[in-house]
Amino acid sequence: GDGWSEGTSALYSATAYDRHTAGLTTTLNIALYVTGIDEPPENLVDDTSPYPHRWSAAKWIAHLARRHGLKVWGENTGDDDRAALYLSARRMAENGFLGLMWAFESELYANPNPGYATIEDYERIIILYNFPQRVYLPLVSR
């Protein structure tokens, strides 16, 4: 489209999703999806804030999904390095996403690799989030 939300990337950043989710006539078999789990960067948002306008797109869309009883998932923006992969995976887990799709699979296999996350990085993330390590501390009685 060529409206305000498209021209300002509001849909991309999930800022207009409240209007769209409120207008759903059914939630049957619908999941909210965001492209850009890794956007905006951490230094531009505060996902711990009580104010939604300070949240990342991932947190905002997950909030809307919970409010409407919907599932949520998404993907990264593309052209991303290892740090963006870890940020995407962390936001996925923290916000209850069903999963994370990597936007451009070819980047994971790029050779030569100009700095993208690799398939090995992706494998490590999958292992980390499928089998999180837990630390058990012994109880000490006094």
Side-chain angles (χ1 to χ4, degrees):
D2 59 2
W4 170 85
S5 60
E6 293 84 3
T8 61
S9 296
L11 281 177
Y12 165 79
S13 64
T15 56
Y17 272 39
D18 58 338
R19 188 180 80 217
H20 293 277
T21 56
L24 292 173
T25 57
T26 182
T27 57
L28 185 64
N29 297 321
I30 294 177
L32 298 186
Y33 187 90
V34 64
T35 58
I37 294 175
D38 53 315
E39 288 293 333
E42 279 187 288
N43 64 328
L44 297 179
V45 297
D46 180 3
D47 280 345
T48 64
S49 172
Y51 305 107
H53 70 277
R54 294 186 179 168
W55 296 344
S56 66
K59 172 121 180 179
W60 175 239
I61 199 168
H63 168 77
L64 292 174
R66 281 190 302 278
R67 185 191 303 166
H68 294 280
L70 298 166
K71 295 180 178 179
V72 64
W73 65 304
E75 66 185 274
N76 67 309
T77 55
D79 296 328
D80 283 331
D81 59 15
R82 181 179 297 128
L85 171 62
Y86 277 82
L87 175 59
S88 295
R90 193 179 84 238
R91 284 180 176 166
M92 172 202 66
E94 288 174 353
N95 292 292
F97 279 46
L98 290 173
L100 160 70
M101 290 185 57
W102 201 247
F104 302 104
E105 181 182 334
S106 61
E107 293 173 0
L108 294 171
Y109 297 98
N111 187 10
N113 186 322
Y116 299 141
T118 66
I119 193 65
E120 292 80 16
D121 296 326
Y122 200 53
E123 177 186 31
R124 283 191 281 280
I125 283 293
I126 291 168
I127 291 168
L128 177 65
Y129 284 94
N130 277 333
F131 307 102
Q133 295 182 0
R134 291 178 171 80
V135 176
Y136 297 95
L137 300 174
L139 294 175
V140 177
S141 57
R142 293 182 182 208

